């Protein structure tokens, strides 16, 4: 379907006509898909539909300016653009609507996302990069409004890095940084903070980003007067306009139904962004929603007759048609014939998509019916199973849930029976799960050879003269080794550049590696994170620094909604191996002592969460993640930078394995499990407990996600028969997760002679000062007393109170 005439010579009127007609064909095809798509939902074949109707024409203009190597970060209205690039066929559009789980039919998300969420493939089957500079690229959409903005910043910044930083192998990723990152957003979603944060940051960074706002005056039912000051986003952004005073944005405003002006505007915007790396905003106004917001409602409820009549008149496809007729590009008859033929093409494509979607499921239904027939004939419950079978057979278009419900209910009816057909049914169910479950659950993590779990341990090497230095020096010199080894590495964050971070773990590195590789950034955690995602998607190895763990919460939404599921939601076709660096646990005051690890680990499944107890361990984790291609969060101990550690010889090379615990003290009486800063208290408590005749075993978890992949903790519990989890998060925070892993996943319950216990911080935020800490977080005394009481309960005479 794709049409792109790209030529430097002036084109003839005939060529011009052909190009416009081809464009119109895409617009009409896209519209027809939206119209039929809505019907598919209303008749129950698809569950939900959100379409690009009313936004077709500007997307044609955009697609003409979009070049190989460029990137899109947009939202659910962009189907026409994807079609114009040749990245979305009619059949694929409907496959997305149905939720077809076969990536060959549904390349956007293999049915994991609802339709209207677009993506291209960056990776080969083996996890290696495709040549992204030779293909059109779309980052994978997410549903939270404006959630596409932070990553857009990074996609754009990557071009700047590729153009200006020497020594990076750009073969697969860039042609001299000429690539534009194109964003789209709805008018109402510009109310989100993420929009403003990104717009400001892109202006500061001067990156090649072209931001289109599709303005249809509404955000579902809420009118622009409730969304945007002056109801005009380009007017209120006009202070960003580049002028003699300094660098900023180029800003355009254009009617969304005006095909020739749109084409011209997008060409101008592309030239500015591509050549000068100046960001551009295009405010596309007077757009419409011919069918309302989505399939879950009708806009007649909130738009009056006058507005609806205006929308019908200003409909961009309708206006394009009028313009074509007025300019003799086609006759009424030609256009009518074209429109009729497109209707048929879309109907045929829809049918092909449905047949491809339903075919395998019908075959699976038949397989089960055959088995149930056999069971019916021999089972004592044959009558009931026969009914289940007949009900299943009556379903004309079965989904997998219906098939499995029939199978599992039948198996339940066979409880207590011992017939060969029962085993057949059991096998069928288990094989079915093996085949189908991965369609919904694979690729949360890398399944390629670049998985972080494949990186083996390399121990730090010391010599007889190894110096004892401040922990931050180990970290700093290890970062130095990383930066010289991997030219595509970058680090950025608040105070990360000039002063080399607030604890000087990056001291002197900006001088050595330059302001682009070791960079200060504004106070804007969400877009620091997004910058990292976008750059990682383009083959760079960013380290995004969030100054304190407590402020990770500003970035946590983007970590959760975007970074954690990039690989999952593309069925492994994209990756963002971003390392997030932060520091936390204990220091002073409510917002510098928090340890909200329970919240974090539960929101970022898909990201490795590593909690090293000292800087050598932290450095080892950085080295491990650099050798892999997965995202990870490393929380350094805020109170550990000045503690002495021995300087390893093999900086940049030693690696701490992911998901492996370390027993740091052996003991027979009780297993104490902890991580991070708290471990130092546990070690002190262990000494005090020794004087009371109690020998504790201490295990450092090191890696909360993944957790103890070799199940070493349960081996310790099997020896001591007692378990205490010590954690400085709130009660039921990370400690609940740790307990679930040991007691439930590792089956630790069977070895326990005492109740498994947790010792955590208070439920409130940690108060200021040493006393605030002592009364808020677990202390050495708390640990000693808790352990002693647990020992007393089993041996009251040996450990009297
Ligand atoms: C963070 C978040 N809040 C609410 C929603 C529900 N929602 C989906 S689309 C939408 C309106 C968006 O309007 P606009 O940005 O103007 O885009 P349009 O649909 O009009 O093109 C809302 C509120 C969401 N997806 N994400
Ligand atoms: Mg809108």
């Amino acid at each position: 379907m794709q049409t792109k005439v790209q030529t430097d010579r002036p084109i003839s009127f005939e060529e011009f006509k052909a190009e416009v007609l081809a464009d119109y064909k895409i617009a009409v095809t896209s519209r027809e898909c939206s119209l039929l798509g809505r019907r598919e939902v209303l008749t129950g074949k698809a569950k939900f539909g959100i379409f690009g109707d009313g936004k077709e024409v500007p997307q044609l203009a955009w697609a003409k300016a979009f070049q190989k190597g460029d990137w899109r970060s947009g939202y659910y209205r962009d189907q026409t653009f994807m079609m114009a690039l040749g990245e979305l066929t009619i059949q694929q559009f409907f496959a997305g609507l149905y939720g077809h789980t076969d990536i060959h039919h549904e390349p956007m998300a293999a049915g994991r996302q609802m339709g209207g969420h677009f993506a291209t493939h960056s990776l080969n089957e083996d996890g290696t990069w495709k040549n992204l500079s030779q293909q059109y690229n779309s980052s994978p959409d997410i549903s939270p409004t404006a959630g596409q903005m932070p990553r857009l910043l990074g996609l754009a910044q990557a071009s700047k890095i590729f153009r200006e930083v020497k020594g990076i192998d750009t073969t697969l990723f860039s042609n001299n940084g000429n690539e534009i990152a194109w964003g789209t957003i709805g008018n109402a979603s510009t109310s989100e903070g993420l929009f403003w944060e990104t717009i400001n940051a892109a202006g500061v960074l001067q990156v090649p980003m072209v931001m289109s706002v599709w303005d249809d005056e509404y955000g579902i039912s809420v009118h622009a007067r409730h969304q945007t000051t002056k109801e005009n986003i380009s007017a209120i952004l006009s202070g960003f306009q580049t002028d003699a005073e300094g660098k900023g944005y180029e800003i355009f405003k254009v009617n969304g139904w005006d095909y020739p002006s749109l084409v011209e505007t997008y060409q101008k915007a592309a030239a500015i962004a591509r050549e000068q790396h100046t960001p551009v905003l295009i405010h596309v106004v007077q757009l419409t929603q011919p069918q309302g917001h989505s399939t879950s409602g009708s806009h007649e409820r909130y738009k009056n007759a006058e507005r609806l009549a205006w929308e019908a008149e200003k409909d961009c496809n309708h206006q394009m048609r009028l313009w074509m007729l007025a300019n003799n590009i086609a006759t009424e008859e030609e256009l009518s014939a074209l429109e009729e033929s497109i209707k048929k093409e879309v109907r045929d494509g829809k049918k092909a998509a449905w047949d491809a979607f339903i075919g395998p499921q019908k075959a699976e239904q038949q397989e089960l019916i055959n088995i149930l027939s056999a069971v019916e004939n021999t089972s004592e419950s044959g009558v009931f199973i026969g009914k289940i079978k007949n009900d299943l057979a009556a379903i004309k278009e079965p989904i997998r849930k219906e098939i499995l419900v029939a199978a599992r209910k039948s198996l339940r009816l066979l409880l207590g029976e011992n017939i060969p057909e029962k085993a057949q049914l059991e096998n069928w169910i288990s094989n079915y799960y093996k085949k189908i479950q991965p369609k919904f659950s694979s690729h949360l993590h890398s399944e390629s050879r670049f998985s972080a779990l494949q990186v083996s341990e390399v121990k730090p090497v010391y010599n007889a003269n190894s110096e004892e230095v401040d922990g931050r020096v180990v970290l700093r010199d290890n970062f130095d080794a990383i930066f010289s080894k991997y030219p595509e590495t970058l680090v950025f964050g608040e105070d990360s550049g000039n002063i080399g971070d607030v604890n000087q773990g990056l001291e002197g590195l900006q001088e050595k590696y330059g302001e682009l590789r070791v960079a200060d950034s504004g106070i804007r955690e969400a877009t620091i994170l997004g910058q990292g995602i976008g750059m990682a998607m383009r083959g760079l190895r960013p380290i995004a620094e969030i100054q304190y763990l407590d402020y990770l919460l500003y970035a946590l939404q983007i970590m959760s909604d975007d970074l954690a599921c990039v690989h999952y939601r593309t069925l492994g076709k994209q990756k963002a191996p971003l390392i997030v660096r932060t520091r936390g646990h204990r220091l002073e005051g409510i917002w510098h002592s928090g340890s909200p690890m329970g919240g974090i680990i539960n929101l970022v499944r898909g990201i490795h969460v590593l909690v090293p107890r000292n800087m050598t361990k932290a450095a080892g984790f950085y080295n491990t993640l650099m050798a892999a291609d997965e995202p990870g969060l490393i929380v350094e101990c805020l109170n550990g930078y000045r503690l002495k550690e021995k300087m390893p010889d093999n900086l940049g090379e030693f690696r701490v394995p992911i998901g492996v615990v370390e027993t740091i003290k052996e003991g027979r009486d009780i297993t104490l499990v902890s991580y991070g800063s708290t471990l130092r208290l546990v070690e002190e408590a262990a000494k005090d407990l020794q004087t009371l005749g109690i020998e504790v075993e201490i295990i450092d978890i090191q890696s909360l996600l993944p957790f103890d992949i070799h199940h070493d903790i349960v081996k310790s519990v099997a020896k001591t028969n007692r378990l205490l989890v010590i954690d400085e998060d709130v009660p039921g925070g990370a400690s609940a997760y740790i307990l679930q892993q040991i007691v439930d996943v590792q089956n630790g319950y069977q070895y326990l002679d005492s109740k498994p216990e947790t010792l955590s911080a208070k439920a409130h935020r940690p108060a200021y000062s040493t006393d605030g800490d002592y009364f808020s977080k677990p202390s050495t005394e708390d640990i000693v007393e808790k352990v002693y009481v647990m020992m007393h309960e089993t041996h009251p005479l040996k450990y009297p109170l």
Side-chain angles (χ1 to χ4, degrees), residues 75-77 143-145 186-189 192 216 218-220 289 293:
Y75 80 117
Y76 49 79
R77 299 286 183 215
S143 298
T145 51
N187 57 298
S189 302
E192 294 279 11
D216 57 17
Y218 282 86
I220 312 186
Q289 297 180 347
H293 175 76

